[in-house]
Amino acid sequence: MPETSVDEVSDLLADALVEANDRLLGLYEILRQPVTAGKLSELAETMPSVIRKTSGALGFAALAADGQFAVDAPGLPTTCLVEAAAGRWGEGIVTGDESGLDVDLLIRRSADGGRYVFAADDIGAPFVRFADAVVATMAGFVAMARLHRQELEMALVEQDARAAAAISAAALTTVPERAFGIEAAARCDPAQIGGGDLYVWIETDDRVVFGVGDVAGKGLSAAVVMTMITEAIGDIALSSEDLGPAAIIAQLARNRYRYLTRTGLFVTLALGVWSPTAERLVVANAGHSPVLTVDENGPRRIPPSCPPLGVLRDVEPVDEVIDFGPGTLLVIGSDGLVEQEDREGHPLGCERFVESVLAAGAARPSDLIRQLFELAAHHAADRQDDDRTALVLRRALSAEPASDDLVLPADLIELRRLGDWLYNRVALLDPEADTALIASQIELAVHELAVNTILHGFAGQPGEIRIALERHGGSWVIEMTDDAPPFDPLQVEMPTGLQEHGYGVMIARAIADSLVHEARDGHNHICLTVSNEPKSVAARKGMP
Amino acid sequence: MTVNGLRATEEHRDRPTATITLDGRLDALSAPDLRSELRELDASGCHNITIDLDDVEFVDSAGLAALVSAMKACRMGGGELTLVRPRSADAFRVFELAKFDAVFDFVER
């Protein structure tokens, strides 16, 4: 073996390092390519050239599993590389003698089932190792690109859903619990990718126009159309007091036909008009379901009298006059409630929806809606396929005397009934009193005490709170009775500093002239008195 | 979002300031949802928050507690909580009764 000088060894090492460094730079060059889904096609054009040059190959070709072919092999017959990538010689090294080319080929299987082909004069072990490093790098590269694409798609879907929810929520109005001699409630729970359901409540001096609609489709496009339809209903309804629901629907269908056909969407819509002075309720239905009334004769569905908006330009919906006597109920839901499927794919169905309405009896509209939504959520095992929307009206029982006592189940949502009951009770007991002021002050005090009872007394257990209100001299006397384990809210320590709890009793004390708790006969009794001019208000009057 | 009669509209969530507009009732039923929204804002680094109570009709001590919590979180993060004063005298009275009318920074819409 010839002797090698130190200088020669240094040169060899330097050459090897330069060569190795070039190849490392080659891998680096591959990895530094921007991995974004939108640039995959661009990369397919540039990558073969990068790989060929940095590997020292004469040519490089890649055939993806989906048939996409990329090559950079100047001076070599492309068809031969295509055949190699297509599997003519399988994987491994193919000599020039076998392929008929002047160069050898190294063929490797890619991670996605395609093939890479390297063409070189002499394919030795170093070249094979580098080529395998390239293949491995490319596998990671493709995986990253796919992951990025998926994340990008998910982010876009989420962004779309958020925007749709915000647009939809902004278009929805508030429905008063009591107005024009009717009790009312509405609720819309959008699905994760929702945005198509709507409800409207448009009041004028003499009437209220209300309804529920559903834009076919989901996401941002449905939300935009939903907003447009909601605004358009308001514009038409306010343009003339003479327009009934059928006329509003007909005008809407005509005005928006071109827009809806261009967007490829249609809208189901049930609209109603309640005129309290005429005591007249009229409903028209354009392809919407479910719509039903319930009175002493039982439930009755109001079927569509014309197709949804966007199907025909000229429609002739029919105004249906509803016999809306005291206690009569009108329920307009959406398909997200009745068509909600369970885990086995069985829809809730109209029959169960109607059964639930009947089972609710004389429940307030807000309570009925809560029960309907709970039914759908239970049926769905807490999944939600579509927006859920309902609007419920009940003709108030004006002839019904106010109940002496209010009995509330131990549930925070039940406390929302307190205000109306107190208002009616105060008005009944003292027509001369400042009803709204007295009722609101008593409501706040009783509400705070009742929250304590529900959260700390019942602590999740079922139970009831009975509330009685009487007028004695210049004061209002409120008695609250519950059967929770003995719990004296007055023992709650008053807050000091900026603590986050304990203000409830403090507020009740600030309103009531006296506040007493007593545990007897297995019940908690709380008695509070509030003067006809509550001290909370009197104190404010005295403030500078 | 609309939860239990309280509607919250968030704006500018990706910027260091945010406005949450509420209507309806800010009570023991809806306050947890407001707290949840505020926690998300806090986690995202947003510590300058305006809560618009103009259309709120009823506030109870649980609602008040959620606002106190928000004020603390904003201050801890170096920001401020601003409240748009509710139009309803009934809704504002709870702040007076709990002596918080002087603690919060109220502005008119």
Side-chain angles (χ1 to χ4, degrees):
Chain A
M1 187 175 176
E3 194 172 315
T4 307
S5 71
V6 172
D7 288 343
E8 286 172 329
V9 170
S10 295
D11 289 344
L12 282 171
L13 275 173
D15 289 346
L17 282 171
V18 167
E19 185 185 1
N21 197 37
D22 280 350
R23 290 185 165 173
L24 288 174
L25 284 172
L27 287 176
Y28 171 73
E29 188 67 18
I30 294 167
L31 287 169
R32 68 187 284 272
Q33 298 294 321
V35 184
T36 59
K39 292 201 169 183
L40 277 179
S41 58
E42 193 178 312
L43 287 173
E45 292 175 10
T46 59
M47 196 63 83
S49 170
V50 172
I51 293 172
R52 181 184 67 77
K53 288 173 183 167
T54 55
S55 66
L58 297 170
F60 174 79
L63 179 67
D66 63 3
Q68 190 179 3
F69 182 72
V71 64
D72 183 58
L76 293 175
T78 305
T79 51
C80 193
L81 293 180
V82 172
E83 286 178 352
R88 177 174 174 181
W89 294 288
E91 283 91 40
I93 297 174
V94 179
T95 64
D97 293 340
E98 292 173 82
S99 65
L101 290 171
D102 292 336
V103 294
D104 294 341
L105 301 177
L106 172 64
I107 306 165
R108 285 287 187 257
R109 173 78 70 170
S110 70
D112 69 346
R115 286 186 184 81
Y116 296 126
V117 180
F118 297 82
D121 274 334
D122 181 19
I123 296 179
F127 186 90
V128 171
R129 280 201 296 276
F130 178 73
D132 286 343
V134 168
V135 170
T137 304
M138 289 299 290
F141 189 85
V142 169
M144 274 200 296
R146 282 186 179 150
L147 191 63
H148 189 274
R149 188 200 300 262
Q150 286 170 357
E151 284 181 350
L152 191 67
E153 286 171 355
M154 285 173 65
L156 286 171
V157 168
E158 198 174 317
Q159 189 180 27
D160 185 279
R162 273 208 302 269
I167 289 170
S168 303
L172 297 175
T173 51
T174 302
V175 174
E177 287 187 19
R178 189 184 288 265
F180 297 105
I182 51 177
E183 299 171 339
R187 177 170 163 182
C188 176
D189 285 4
Q192 190 176 9
I193 305 174
D197 273 14
L198 64 96
Y199 65 79
V200 291
W201 181 273
I202 304 146
E203 290 181 15
T204 65
D205 290 340
D206 301 320
R207 66 179 196 165
V208 56
V209 178
F210 58 88
V212 172
D214 181 7
V215 180
K218 294 180 180 177
L220 202 50
S221 58
V224 169
V225 173
M226 170 269 195
T227 306
M228 184 269 289
I229 292 291
T230 304
E231 295 295 322
I233 292 170
D235 291 344
I236 297 170
L238 294 172
S239 68
S240 170
E241 291 276 321
D242 298 329
L243 292 175
I248 295 172
I249 287 175
Q251 195 169 323
L252 192 62
R254 196 163 48 248
N255 293 353
R256 302 295 164 174
Y257 175 71
R258 195 170 168 196
Y259 178 85
L260 289 172
T261 50
R262 281 185 174 180
T263 55
L265 296 173
F266 61 84
V267 184
T268 68
L269 181 64
L271 274 189
V273 174
W274 166 243
S275 308
T277 48
E279 296 192 340
R280 181 181 159 90
L281 176 67
V282 185
V283 175
N285 184 354
H288 196 82
S289 178
V291 185
L292 69 141
T293 63
V294 182
D295 58 19
E296 66 272 16
N297 298 316
R300 183 172 72 87
R301 290 182 194 170
I302 300 173
S305 54
C306 74
L309 311 179
V311 175
L312 296 171
R313 182 178 181 279
D314 295 308
V315 295
E316 295 180 351
V318 176
D319 274 339
E320 182 148 352
V321 180
I322 310 294
D323 185 6
F324 204 52
T328 304
L329 197 65
L330 174 71
V331 181
I332 309 176
S334 73
D335 57 3
L337 287 166
V338 292
E339 293 176 9
Q340 174 63 57
E341 295 180 346
D342 63 14
R343 288 187 188 282
E344 281 73 46
H346 303 123
L348 177 71
C350 271
E351 284 187 14
R352 281 193 65 196
F353 183 84
V354 174
E355 283 169 11
S356 183
V357 171
L358 294 176
R364 296 189 335 156
S366 55
D367 292 335
L368 171 56
I369 285 181
R370 179 170 53 83
Q371 290 171 26
L372 292 173
F373 277 59
E374 285 174 358
L375 175 73
H378 179 72
H379 182 76
D382 290 330
R383 290 178 302 116
Q384 186 176 350
D385 300 335
D386 197 358
D387 291 357
R388 293 174 185 154
T389 303
L391 187 148
V392 174
L393 305 185
R394 184 192 294 281
R395 181 81 185 274
L397 294 165
S398 53
E400 186 183 61
S403 165
D404 283 351
D405 292 354
L406 175 68
V407 179
L408 295 175
D411 185 336
L412 290 177
I413 198 166
E414 298 292 342
L415 296 181
R416 294 188 171 180
R417 292 167 52 193
L418 190 56
D420 281 352
W421 179 81
L422 281 169
Y423 187 91
N424 291 332
R425 187 80 180 137
V426 169
L428 181 78
L429 294 173
D430 185 355
E432 303 297 317
D434 186 342
T435 309
L437 180 67
I438 301 291
S440 71
Q441 290 305 284
I442 297 176
E443 181 192 5
L444 184 54
V446 173
H447 171 98
E448 294 293 357
L449 296 168
V451 167
N452 268 320
T453 300
I454 291 170
L455 296 182
H456 306 300
F458 287 108
Q461 298 301 310
E464 287 180 345
I465 304 172
R466 177 176 290 274
I467 300 163
L469 174 67
E470 297 295 342
R471 186 88 159 92
H472 289 303
S475 291
W476 298 89
V477 179
I478 304 102
E479 286 193 24
M480 303 171 63
T481 310
D482 66 73
D483 53 359
F487 173 74
D488 182 359
L490 306 183
Q491 299 305 313
V492 175
E493 285 186 21
M494 290 298 105
T496 54
L498 284 182
Q499 70 184 58
E500 293 179 25
H501 299 286
Y503 295 104
V505 176
M506 177 181 173
I507 289 166
R509 281 183 189 277
I511 294 169
D513 296 309
S514 68
L515 185 54
V516 177
H517 170 267
E518 187 182 1
R520 59 179 154 81
D521 308 327
H523 290 81
N524 292 291
H525 298 270
I526 299 174
C527 181
L528 61 159
T529 58
V530 176
S531 68
N532 206 29
E533 185 175 32
K535 69 179 188 185
S536 51
V537 179
R540 174 155 178 74
K541 281 183 181 170
M543 290 169 74
Chain B
M1 69 163 188
T2 304
V3 181
N4 297 327
L6 172 138
R7 177 175 301 155
T9 309
E10 293 165 45
E11 299 166 7
H12 322 308
R13 287 207 57 169
D14 53 349
R15 299 214 297 270
T17 61
T19 298
I20 298 179
T21 304
L22 306 179
D23 64 16
R25 295 172 68 96
L26 178 54
D27 58 12
L29 202 61
S30 58
D33 297 311
L34 176 62
R35 279 181 181 269
S36 171
E37 294 294 310
L38 290 166
R39 267 197 302 272
E40 281 185 32
L41 283 174
D42 186 41
S44 70
C46 181
H47 300 118
N48 283 297
I49 300 172
T50 298
I51 300 181
D52 188 340
L53 303 171
D54 189 59
D55 289 330
V56 170
E57 298 155 1
F58 181 87
V59 180
D60 73 357
S61 61
L64 195 64
L67 297 174
V68 171
S69 170
M71 181 174 64
K72 285 182 180 176
C74 285
R75 288 182 179 174
M76 289 280 284
E80 278 300 329
L81 174 73
T82 303
L83 301 183
V84 176
R85 180 183 168 127
R87 241 179 308 150
S88 159
D90 292 337
F92 187 67
R93 195 163 292 121
V94 73
F95 293 94
E96 298 172 329
L97 294 173
K99 315 292 185 199
F100 272 96
D101 50 333
V103 173
F104 285 112
D105 182 14
F106 279 102
V107 296
E108 303 284 341
R109 184 190 268 183

